[in-house]
């Protein structure tokens, strides 16, 4: 598997002949975007790889559509270049695309293409904020991808989520070859201490349950509402037990890295 970390939650994953793009965000930096309850965030860095450099893709994994730090204006153009988009049920209803599939947690869909293995995409649970906030922040989903004939996923993208029981149950014994974990500890001044994505300490607990082969942190830089950015998260991962610490791979922005 080869991964190019583009910025924020966005990565290009090349695996078994598939070109997979996660949560496309390609707007330039400097703009402030509005979120729910009067909250907002400024995009502080642009993509390390341009949308034109990425080109066409086979599949977009879109954890949710309602927040610009996971799907911005230029990112919507990326959806048009994808053969298939897998997202939440709400996202599939809201976005126009010739082949868009909405999944609830636990549901699966199969994607296929010429000269490449068939892949089953299974949605995993996300709770994008504290208890009872879903009506405000909206739904989100993670995705586990398993190639035809494989006993375990080759890839798990957690999506934007806090630590919760459903996530830990889904992670138990999942053993993906590669885990792309969304961190950043999203906070807003208006909502005080409330957190809307995992921090690195919460991610350690999920990684320990999932027992992946390698872990790639994303969703940790480039936006002002990420309260725990890359250096702070790296310190937490460095202090984790070796069973987690030794799995972490910080990928340089803009560089394609083979993970084996």
């Amino acid at each position: 598997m080869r991964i190019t970390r583009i910025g924020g939650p966005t990565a290009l994953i090349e695996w078994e002949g598939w070109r997979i793009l996660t949560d496309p965000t390609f707007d330039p930096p400097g703009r402030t975007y509005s979120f729910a309850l009067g909250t907002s965030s400024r995009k502080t860095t642009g993509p390390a790889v341009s949308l034109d450099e990425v080109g066409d893709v086979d599949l977009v994994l879109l954890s949710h559509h309602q927040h610009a730090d996971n799907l911005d204006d230029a990112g919507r153009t990326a959806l048009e270049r994808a053969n298939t988009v897998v997202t939440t049920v709400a996202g599939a209803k809201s976005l126009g695309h010739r082949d868009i599939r909405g999944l609830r947690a636990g549901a699966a869909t199969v994607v296929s293409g010429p000269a490449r293995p068939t892949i089953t995409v299974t949605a995993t649970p996300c709770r994008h904020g504290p208890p009872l906030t879903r009506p405000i922040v909206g739904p989100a989903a993670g995705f586990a991808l398993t190639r035809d004939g494989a006993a375990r996923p080759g890839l798990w993208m957690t999506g934007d989520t806090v630590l919760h029981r459903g996530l830990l149950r889904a992670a138990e014994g999942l053993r993906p070859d590669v885990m792309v974990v969304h961190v950043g500890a999203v906070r807003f001044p208006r909502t005080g201490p409330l957190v809307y994505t995992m921090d690195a300490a919460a991610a350690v607990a999920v990684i320990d349950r999932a027992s992946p082969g390698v872990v790639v942190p994303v969703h940790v830089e480039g936006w002002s509402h990420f309260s725990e950015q890359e250096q702070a998260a790296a310190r937490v991962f460095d202090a984790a037990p070796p069973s987690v610490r030794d799995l972490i791979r910080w990928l340089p922005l803009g560089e394609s890295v083979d993970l084996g």
Side-chain angles (χ1 to χ4, degrees):
M1 186 180 295
R2 174 180 293 179
I3 298 183
T4 306
R5 186 175 156 215
I6 295 173
T10 310
L12 176 65
I13 301 169
E14 298 169 276
W15 176 51
E16 299 283 0
W18 288 86
R19 288 171 50 80
I20 302 166
L21 187 66
T22 68
D23 282 353
T25 54
F26 288 92
D27 282 358
R31 179 176 166 187
T32 297
Y33 298 78
S34 296
F35 294 90
L37 293 176
T39 60
S40 64
S41 180
R42 183 173 181 270
K43 189 170 187 180
T44 58
T45 58
V49 179
S50 72
L51 184 54
D52 286 339
E53 289 173 312
V54 171
D56 294 340
V57 297
D58 302 302
L59 175 64
V60 169
L61 301 176
L62 178 61
S63 68
H64 59 298
H65 72 290
Q66 65 269 23
H67 299 144
D69 60 322
N70 294 81
L71 181 67
D72 58 19
D73 291 343
R76 291 172 185 265
T77 302
L79 302 185
E80 300 170 7
R81 301 186 179 192
N83 293 333
T84 302
V85 178
V86 180
T87 186
T88 62
V89 172
K93 291 178 179 178
S94 176
L95 300 168
H97 190 275
R98 60 190 175 276
D99 183 11
I100 187 166
R101 310 179 191 185
L103 300 179
R104 292 182 174 86
T109 189
V110 175
V111 293
S112 59
R116 69 197 73 166
T118 297
I119 293 176
T120 298
V121 182
T122 303
T124 58
C126 289
R127 197 185 76 206
H128 195 4
L132 307 179
T133 58
R134 177 171 170 160
I136 298 170
V137 300
F143 302 103
L145 278 62
T146 307
R147 61 163 292 171
D148 188 36
R152 63 185 189 183
L155 172 69
W156 180 31
M157 163 189 156
T158 67
D160 279 14
T161 183
V162 295
L163 183 64
H164 63 103
R165 290 180 182 177
L167 179 63
L168 289 173
R169 284 195 297 267
E172 186 71 46
L174 192 63
R175 298 176 60 235
D177 294 330
V178 177
M179 177 178 174
V180 176
V181 61
H182 290 212
V183 283
V186 164
R187 287 189 176 91
F188 300 96
R190 189 179 183 90
T191 55
L194 299 182
V195 179
Y196 298 88
T197 61
M198 289 189 288
D199 59 12
V204 167
V206 180
I207 293 165
D208 183 63
R209 289 289 185 97
S211 299
V214 64
V215 179
V216 177
V218 299
H219 197 270
V220 71
E221 92 309 315
W223 290 80
S224 64
H225 64 319
F226 295 171
S227 69
E228 183 184 70
Q229 301 217 0
E230 185 167 334
Q231 289 186 348
R235 288 194 291 270
V236 175
F237 286 133
D238 287 345
S243 59
V244 170
R245 181 185 66 223
D246 295 345
L247 304 180
I248 305 297
R249 289 287 302 274
W250 287 101
L251 304 189
L253 286 163
E255 295 185 20
S256 297
V257 178
D258 288 314
L259 298 178

